[in-house]
Amino acid sequence: MLYPNAQIWRNAPAKRVMLFGMSGLGKTHLSKLLRDAGDWFHYSVDYRIGTRYMGEFIADNFKREAMKVPLLRELLLSDSVYISSNITFDNLAPLSTYLGKPGNPDQGGLPFDEYMIRQDQHRSAEIAALSDTPHFIARAGDLYGYANFICDTGGSICEVIDPDNPQDPLMSRLSDHVLPVWIKGSDAHTSELIRRFDRAPKPMYYQPDFLRDAWSAYQDETNLPADRINPDAFVRWTYARALAHRAPRYGAMARNWGVTITAEEVAAIRTAPDFTALIAGKLPD
């Protein structure tokens, strides 16, 4: 562990952490709070995925749709317009829209094989973006003079590593550079996340075997062919199962490489010293 005890953590001239857990429990909120304190560099893995590693896929998808419109087709072919996504730390809609949802094309669904191709693209991009963490730690210091560093990961980090293998190559490399911190939600948080997702279901990355099993089970349960499945209904049905699937994986990550804090504790943080004190309390004396 990068910081084996509370004293080393408190006295460290460079505090470097990696937040992980389900989306909606405070990872980005806490990252922004520390960034706004003025001496923390905020590295967003999802932003890196959407700009560096999947930006071309996203833009090409926009162009593919635009080519169906005669006016836009003519303008694109003559290089008269430029189409790009406008991803920000707070707006990752272009990335999630590209990932899409499988099901009925009349309801915006993708063929399942195309959906799985995009899922695999995201997997490769997420691994690459996570692997860039040491580079951005060095960059934050060399270019901007930031010693403190917070890596804000996506909820699917637990799907691209083996959480039960203490020798997992990616997590071993990351834990040499950052302290992994799991933001753990309660049962009440889980219920609220499900309610929030039901109101606005969005595309997500899932582990391939989990996703294939979910797709098959949903077809069996609904007795619908693939091209008749409502895409939103499928991802709603899948989401609660994904939460249950991911919770023990996050727990194993925390046991093998890091520490656990709760969403309630995150909500109580107001300043960077509050965060330092919270992490110190999770480390051995």
Side-chain angles (χ1 to χ4, degrees):
M1 187 179 290
L2 188 61
Y3 307 102
N5 60 56
Q7 182 176 358
I8 290 175
W9 161 257
R10 288 184 183 277
N11 295 336
K15 294 178 172 62
R16 305 195 300 263
V17 300
M18 180 183 79
L19 303 179
F20 67 93
M22 284 301 300
S23 297
L25 293 180
K27 297 191 302 292
T28 300
H29 166 75
L30 179 54
S31 298
K32 290 170 63 177
L33 184 152
L34 294 175
R35 181 187 70 206
D36 292 346
D39 58 354
W40 285 78
F41 185 90
H42 177 191
Y43 175 55
S44 168
V45 170
D46 281 341
Y47 180 80
R48 180 70 168 167
I49 290 170
T51 53
R52 172 64 176 84
Y53 292 109
M54 294 188 71
E56 188 171 304
F57 294 134
I58 293 167
D60 283 354
N61 194 48
F62 292 161
K63 293 171 187 175
R64 188 173 294 107
E65 293 302 312
M67 287 289 284
K68 298 174 184 178
V69 180
L71 173 63
L72 293 179
R73 175 185 174 85
E74 180 179 341
L75 292 172
L76 280 171
L77 291 175
S78 62
D79 290 328
S80 299
V81 294
Y82 176 75
I83 295 179
S84 179
S85 68
N86 188 28
I87 289 179
T88 67
F89 283 13
D90 298 313
N91 178 21
L92 298 165
L95 175 58
S96 60
T97 298
Y98 174 74
L99 274 179
K101 309 164 190 174
N104 189 334
D106 294 335
Q107 296 173 307
L110 293 169
F112 189 73
D113 288 345
E114 172 62 24
Y115 176 66
M116 291 301 290
I117 288 171
R118 298 186 187 194
Q119 288 275 308
D120 189 60
Q121 289 169 346
H122 190 282
R123 177 183 179 84
S124 297
E126 185 163 7
I127 291 170
L130 286 165
S131 299
D132 285 342
T133 300
H135 165 70
F136 272 88
I137 290 172
R139 190 167 182 245
D142 294 344
L143 284 180
Y144 307 115
Y146 286 103
N148 299 321
F149 181 93
I150 188 156
C151 176
D152 175 11
T153 71
S156 53
I157 182 176
C158 66
E159 309 284 19
V160 301
I161 57 101
D162 181 355
D164 295 312
N165 176 14
Q167 307 304 317
D168 179 82
L170 179 54
M171 278 303 299
S172 295
R173 181 170 185 242
L174 288 169
S175 63
D176 286 341
H177 296 275
V178 292
L179 174 67
V181 177
W182 177 27
I183 300 180
K184 181 180 181 181
S186 64
D187 289 343
H189 286 114
T190 298
S191 297
E192 175 56 28
L193 290 177
I194 292 171
R195 284 194 295 271
R196 193 183 307 170
F197 192 89
D198 282 346
R199 290 195 298 270
K202 67 177 184 178
M204 291 172 50
Y205 172 78
Y206 301 98
Q207 193 181 55
D209 289 343
F210 169 85
L211 189 53
R212 290 190 188 94
D213 288 346
W215 184 245
S216 177
Y218 190 77
Q219 286 181 286
D220 290 343
E221 183 173 307
T222 60
N223 198 30
L224 289 171
D227 62 357
R228 293 275 309 283
I229 288 175
N230 182 301
D232 283 345
F234 171 71
V235 295
R236 285 189 181 102
W237 183 89
T238 304
Y239 182 72
R241 287 156 182 78
L243 294 184
H245 166 75
R246 288 180 176 180
R249 299 178 71 86
Y250 292 139
M253 289 172 65
R255 287 193 302 274
N256 285 326
W257 295 286
V259 298
T260 301
I261 60 178
T262 68
E264 290 91 349
E265 289 170 330
V266 169
I269 292 174
R270 296 292 180 268
T271 65
D274 290 346
F275 178 70
T276 297
L278 176 60
I279 297 301
K282 305 298 180 178
L283 294 167
D285 293 333

